[in-house]
Amino acid sequence: MKFYVLTLFPEMIEQTINTSITGRAIKDGIIEVEAINIRDFADNDYGQIDDYPYGGGAGMVMQAPPIIDAYNSIVERVGYKPPVVFMTPTGSTFEQNDARTFAKIDDLVILCGHYEGVDERALEEIVTYNISIGDYVLTGGELPALVVMDAVTRLIPGVLNNDVSASTESFEDGLLEHPQYTRPAEFDGKKVPDILLSGNHAKIDEYRRLESIKRTFERRPDLLDDIELSDKEEQYLNNLKNND
Ligand code: ADE
């Protein structure tokens, strides 16, 4: 999979993406990331790519031509029009399902906005998905682009050394992940739950699933609406609700 990031701050993308697990995925040749500086497509010698908004108002707006030209430089190379994700607080909120959708795409272009926005005509022409990473406003789309690339990369086979850990954690089954413990077995007077030391994997799975339900009930009860529960799990949840 290859990500093309259209940005005014390519070094911000490169430094972060080349670190940790995404950095290893790049070294292993599983993903490729190319940060393309929109400023290189300015039609003037001083690299200006923004201008005042028509109709007035605060701030500057990124102009359409450099963005379209930067996108077309990718189209020419790959031989077709790859999908474009525009990072914007006005997009739909990024969820695990979007990460799964994007992970199936071979060439994904991510457009990072800056300043007060981007000329709508550029967006109309190239954008496939408008994506926000949450209901808050950042100074630009680079951090959101990195969030999206990280969430997508870890779903690509071969990136995590342990395939199970991508499938049992939060959101994969619609629940939040259960608590985890490691050595020592007792710390600060707190013991690891006995069942986890029992070696009985069926019982451990059952215990963890109930802990997931409990955590989801406490922290994200909205997620429980879409979950299929067994009779026993339903009863456990009702007990939690009654003790609330
Ligand atoms: N750009 C600025 N804020 C953003 C957000 N919350 N999500 C995506 N892109 C953004």
Side-chain angles (χ1 to χ4, degrees):
M1 173 166 195
K2 180 157 179 181
F3 297 99
Y4 298 83
V5 185
L6 300 178
T7 172
L8 293 174
F9 298 96
E11 67 288 358
M12 190 169 169
I13 299 294
E14 284 156 2
Q15 285 182 10
T16 309
I17 207 73
N18 281 301
T19 307
S20 184
I21 291 181
T22 50
R24 197 182 61 204
I26 291 169
K27 284 207 183 74
D28 291 348
I30 302 172
I31 62 161
E32 234 182 298
V33 178
E34 183 178 338
I36 296 167
N37 195 339
I38 297 168
R39 222 177 272 290
D40 292 345
F41 294 84
D43 64 358
N44 51 77
D45 291 342
Y46 26 93
Q48 189 184 342
I49 48 71
D50 59 346
D51 210 329
Y52 295 100
Y54 277 118
M60 303 290 269
V61 175
M62 287 169 72
Q63 295 170 293
I67 291 172
I68 297 295
D69 290 349
Y71 176 68
N72 283 339
S73 75
I74 302 167
V75 174
E76 267 170 36
R77 279 192 283 152
V78 298
Y80 72 105
K81 290 186 168 178
V84 177
V85 177
F86 177 44
M87 304 312 317
T88 169
T90 66
S92 55
T93 309
F94 185 59
E95 292 185 353
Q96 191 66 17
N97 243 339
D98 300 308
R100 283 190 275 263
T101 302
F102 297 162
K104 296 188 188 109
I105 294 173
D106 290 333
D107 298 292
L108 188 63
V109 180
I110 305 183
L111 172 61
C112 304
H114 253 274
Y115 311 122
E116 280 309 301
V118 175
D119 190 309
E120 190 65 21
R121 293 166 296 179
L123 303 175
E124 281 169 4
E125 185 117 350
I126 65 170
V127 171
T128 322
Y129 306 95
N130 289 285
I131 297 288
S132 164
I133 62 161
D135 287 344
Y136 41 81
V137 181
L138 301 166
T139 56
E142 283 74 17
L143 289 171
L146 288 159
V147 166
V148 167
M149 287 191 286
D150 188 292
V152 171
T153 300
R154 58 188 295 293
L155 295 178
I156 299 173
V159 171
L160 298 184
N161 40 27
N162 173 2
D163 275 351
V164 183
S165 80
S167 62
T168 60
E169 67 205 0
S170 296
F171 303 114
E172 284 299 326
D173 62 1
L175 295 169
L176 302 185
E177 196 186 20
H178 52 78
Q180 295 278 17
Y181 302 89
T182 187
R183 287 196 290 180
E186 184 172 343
F187 165 70
D188 217 6
K190 289 180 179 161
K191 286 190 169 152
V192 171
D194 282 340
I195 183 109
L196 297 178
L197 309 176
S198 71
N200 183 335
H201 289 289
K203 284 260 179 260
I204 290 172
D205 287 349
E206 190 182 322
Y207 166 81
R208 284 179 163 166
R209 169 105 178 151
L210 293 181
E211 286 295 305
S212 279
I213 291 169
K214 182 172 167 200
R215 174 156 283 183
T216 308
F217 169 71
E218 287 168 352
R219 299 184 184 178
R220 290 292 306 278
D222 56 300
L223 295 177
L224 287 170
D225 296 342
D226 304 326
I227 304 292
E228 290 250 0
L229 298 178
S230 69
D231 288 350
K232 190 173 172 182
E233 289 165 355
E234 198 76 61
Q235 205 180 350
Y236 177 77
L237 179 60
N238 282 333
N239 281 344
L240 291 175
K241 286 180 181 165
N242 291 335
N243 292 334
D244 206 26

